[in-house]
Amino acid sequence: MSGPDDAKRGLRRELLAVRSRLTGDDAEKTAAVLARRVLSLPEMAGARTVAAYVSVGGEPGTGALLEELRRRGVRVLLPVLLPDDDLDWAEYEGPASLAETRRSGRVTLHEPAGPRLGPEAVTGVDAVLLPGLAADLSGRRLGRGGGSYDRVLARLAAAGADPLLLVLLHDHELREEVPAEPHDRPVHVVLTPSGTHRARGRG
Ligand SMILES: Nc1nc2c(c(=O)[nH]1)N(C=O)[C@@H](CNc1ccc(C(=O)N[C@@H](CCC(=O)O)C(=O)O)cc1)CN2
Ligand SMILES: Nc1ncnc2c1ncn2[C@@H]1O[C@H](COP(=O)(O)OP(=O)(O)OP(=O)(O)O)[C@@H](O)[C@H]1O
């Protein structure tokens, strides 16, 4: 049967192929401008705790942002992938506190080595930086397909938490329309090197 699920799979393949051709240089160049964009959002001025992730492969770089958040005294939580693709969280304490983790068929991740805070820890943050492969101006986001962040978003909603939801992308990954399924929940801001895009329907 063909539906949003197949459309998502095709788009993922296409976008991952483009990312696999990007170099580390591309990631670093985008990192600095994206960090500036995120930090100049008015909502970020008062953020005390932020859930983020360590970029890998062709993902737009998050390194500069993580360092600057820490320098400002913001508490940064990073995801730890659980066997069922749900996410636990632990605090970012600098590049030396990260460990490489490898799961077969998947890109190597850099995960925090410190104490785990439990999956519910994300419900206490002021902003969540979500990884994505594409998004549109309605805030629909295409992830890697594990459903990890779908579960994070469901958990936030269940807890009545309403943190700012951000996605960092390359310019070509901001699409006219991303296929959506009923469980998908929109993000608030899509940032690319050339623009900060607020999703329709939110401030
Ligand atoms: N930097 C980063 N950290 C992250 C994520 C992410 O997307 N990026 N995650 C986001 O949830 C979680 C980890 N989940 C992941 C899920 C799949 C793959 C992966 O390599 N997928 C293959 C495709 C094969 C497959 O589907 O497993 C790929 O993308 O090439 C990596 C991480 C938490 N940490
Ligand atoms: N709240 C939830 N709890 C458990 N599984 C869920 C939840 N929401 C979605 N899923 C499942 O997760 C799988 C992946 O969903 P989808 O293709 O939307 O992932 P994605 O949003 O691209 O990835 P991610 O959330 O990891 O960034 C689907 O099988 C979906 O049914």
Side-chain angles (χ1 to χ4, degrees):
M1 225 171 55
S2 100
D5 204 34
D6 295 290
K8 281 185 175 179
R9 223 171 294 133
L11 188 55
R12 260 186 212 116
R13 245 200 318 270
E14 181 191 323
L15 292 162
L16 282 170
V18 178
R19 279 194 178 177
S20 72
R21 293 192 288 272
L22 299 175
T23 64
D25 253 21
D26 295 317
E28 261 179 56
K29 263 184 242 146
T30 54
V33 46
L34 288 171
R36 269 199 306 279
R37 283 199 182 288
V38 171
L39 294 165
S40 63
L41 290 168
E43 295 96 325
M44 290 300 289
R48 300 170 59 99
T49 308
V50 172
Y53 61 93
V54 181
S55 55
V56 294
E59 292 177 339
T62 60
L65 177 61
L66 297 181
E67 278 313 303
E68 183 55 23
L69 285 169
R70 231 165 69 84
R71 201 189 63 77
R72 294 181 181 199
V74 176
R75 183 168 180 247
V76 177
L77 304 187
L78 295 176
V80 179
L81 187 62
L82 296 172
D84 66 352
D85 278 354
D86 204 348
L87 300 179
D88 202 338
W89 299 90
E91 201 160 326
Y92 177 53
E93 291 173 297
S97 69
L98 299 174
E100 281 199 0
T101 56
R102 221 172 270 270
R103 281 177 62 186
S104 69
R106 295 198 162 176
V107 297
T108 297
L109 298 171
H110 302 269
E111 298 190 314
R116 298 186 182 186
L117 305 170
E120 293 296 324
V122 74
T123 62
V125 308
D126 302 301
V128 183
L129 197 66
L130 299 90
L133 297 176
D136 65 24
L137 292 175
S138 299
R140 298 190 195 102
R141 178 192 64 94
L142 179 74
R144 289 189 191 257
S148 305
Y149 280 87
D150 292 326
R151 276 174 268 186
V152 166
L153 295 176
R155 200 166 266 138
L156 293 172
D162 187 26
L164 184 70
L165 305 175
L166 312 163
V167 178
L168 306 184
L169 298 175
H170 299 289
D171 286 313
H172 70 272
E173 295 167 341
L174 177 62
R175 314 282 293 206
E176 188 88 23
E177 194 173 352
V178 167
E181 294 174 87
H183 66 253
D184 286 318
R185 294 165 196 266
V187 298
H188 306 135
V189 189
V190 182
L191 303 108
T192 72
S194 65
T196 296
H197 311 270
R198 286 189 180 264
R200 286 187 287 258
R202 170 119 178 170

